Amino acid sequence: SKTTIKKTSIVVEADPTMSTMTVNGQSSVTVSPNQALSFVGTGLSNGATLTGKTSSGTASALPSTASATIGTATYYGAASKTINGVTRDSTLKSVSVTTVDYPTISGLNRPAAVFVNEPINTNWTGSNVTKYTLYGNVAASGVSPSGVDLGTNTSYSTSSSVAGSYAYKLVATNAAGATLDADYTVSVESIPTLGGFTVNGLTAISVAPNTALSFVGSGVSSGAIGQARTSGNDGNLTFPATAPATAGTYTYYMAAAKTLNGVNRYSPLKSVTVSVINAPTIGTITAPTVINYGSAFTLSWSGTDVANYTVKGNVAASGVAVSGFSTGTGASLSVTPQ
């Protein structure tokens, strides 16, 4: 008899394998709601593909975006391969996706304006924030344009020695790297200035007691007022409307004053002097009643608060010029009528 032999070959494959499973390149990620997700299986055996699974191994599609619900979700996958209608899966691998809400910033408080070298105190509240970063627009703002890492602190104080308007940007970052900006500006003002100070139009005057006085400051910087001050530039005083009733020399001081956020600043002082002089008096005048012409006699008198005496004659022959003769502070004069 004869025997016919036919040969056939069958390839028997092992169950598929997968080394790791990642989401967005990591074994676990923190993302914002609805952020795109990319699931990848590595080390897949020949012809196998990554298939989403439940923890019990049943099929479950892997999402393309993160959940809109805050929390942590675990996703499973396996390497799957089908041969002749039979599907085999590898051991399950898992990744975790934590969804965190977007950062918020609220209640941002800062001064609208401060003086140079005064604190610029800023504070705020926020949620879902792992880091705050504050940026200034220029170095003179007191905050570097490259930013200051504030961690999770919700307040910051800086200052500027240069007057100007400065812009700041507060950036809140959540655990997923999502950011939120809050922009604000602060005006930094110079100390107030005072150009000049006069009383009755002069820097020094001599007046009679109770004379009306008018104090005026000039060149006062914007927003400031001229204010009466002590010689030590303290005490908010009031300028008098009239000169004192008592003779003497009085000095008055003015500074330009301005208040920002409860902080008062004053310019350097300027001063004026008011000399109060009593009205002059003339006491008894001593002179002969009758004399011969050509004969000299002495005219004498007394007085108070006098800077200069002038004696005048009624006619040229009186021995004293009609236009007058000054004796200075002298209280006598030798006269020879003609």
Side-chain angles (χ1 to χ4, degrees):
S1 65
K2 293 183 180 179
T3 301
T4 300
I5 299 174
K6 291 185 178 180
K7 296 181 179 180
T8 186
S9 62
I10 298 174
V11 177
V12 178
E13 294 190 7
D15 284 342
T17 58
M18 179 172 65
S19 301
T20 59
M21 175 181 171
T22 62
V23 55
N24 293 3
Q26 308 279 339
S27 60
S28 62
V29 293
T30 300
V31 295
S32 297
N34 304 309
Q35 185 173 327
L37 300 178
S38 175
F39 296 89
V40 175
T42 58
L44 295 171
S45 55
N46 184 39
T49 59
L50 174 65
T51 303
K53 299 288 184 179
T54 66
S55 60
S56 61
T58 58
S60 177
L62 295 169
S64 60
T65 59
S67 171
T69 303
I70 307 306
T72 299
T74 302
Y75 297 95
Y76 299 88
S80 298
K81 189 172 183 180
T82 301
I83 298 176
N84 297 319
V86 177
T87 301
R88 289 287 185 268
D89 297 320
S90 69
T91 303
L92 291 176
K93 303 287 185 181
S94 66
V95 294
S96 64
V97 176
T98 299
T99 303
V100 295
D101 214 344
Y102 290 102
T104 67
I105 298 174
S106 60
L108 179 65
N109 295 310
R110 91 291 183 199
V114 297
F115 290 114
V116 292
N117 299 316
E118 291 295 333
I120 303 173
N121 294 321
T122 307
N123 60 78
W124 59 91
T125 58
S127 60
N128 310 312
V129 178
T130 57
K131 182 180 73 171
Y132 294 101
T133 307
L134 183 63
Y135 299 88
N137 61 333
V138 293
S141 68
V143 180
S144 169
S146 61
V148 176
D149 186 346
L150 305 181
T152 55
N153 291 323
T154 56
S155 64
Y156 190 70
S157 181
T158 187
S159 64
S160 174
S161 61
V162 181
S165 180
Y166 298 108
Y168 299 89
K169 182 185 293 293
L170 178 65
V171 179
T173 305
N174 71 1
T179 61
L180 176 69
D181 298 351
D183 298 319
Y184 61 96
T185 59
V186 176
S187 175
V188 177
E189 298 190 12
S190 299
I191 301 300
T193 56
L194 175 67
F197 177 38
T198 60
V199 55
N200 293 7
L202 300 168
T203 57
I205 59 172
S206 295
V207 295
N210 303 309
T211 298
L213 299 179
S214 175
F215 297 89
V216 176
S218 60
V220 178
S221 54
S222 176
I225 60 171
Q227 188 175 86
R229 306 288 287 169
T230 69
S231 59
N233 206 357
D234 55 11
N236 297 335
L237 308 179
T238 301
F239 290 119
T242 59
T246 304
T249 299
Y250 301 86
T251 303
Y252 299 93
Y253 301 88
M254 177 184 277
K258 190 171 185 179
T259 302
L260 291 174
N261 299 308
V263 176
N264 302 314
R265 287 293 176 266
Y266 305 93
S267 69
L269 292 172
K270 291 190 179 294
S271 65
V272 295
T273 58
V274 176
S275 296
V276 177
I277 303 171
N278 289 326
T281 65
I282 298 176
T284 302
I285 300 175
T286 302
T289 304
V290 178
I291 60 169
N292 293 320
Y293 73 87
S295 299
F297 71 91
T298 298
L299 180 68
S300 62
W301 60 90
S302 62
T304 60
D305 300 304
V306 177
N308 180 71
Y309 292 105
T310 302
V311 181
K312 298 181 178 182
N314 61 335
V315 294
S318 68
V320 182
V322 174
S323 59
F325 177 81
S326 173
T327 66
T329 57
S332 64
L333 179 67
S334 179
V335 179
T336 305
Q338 297 300 314

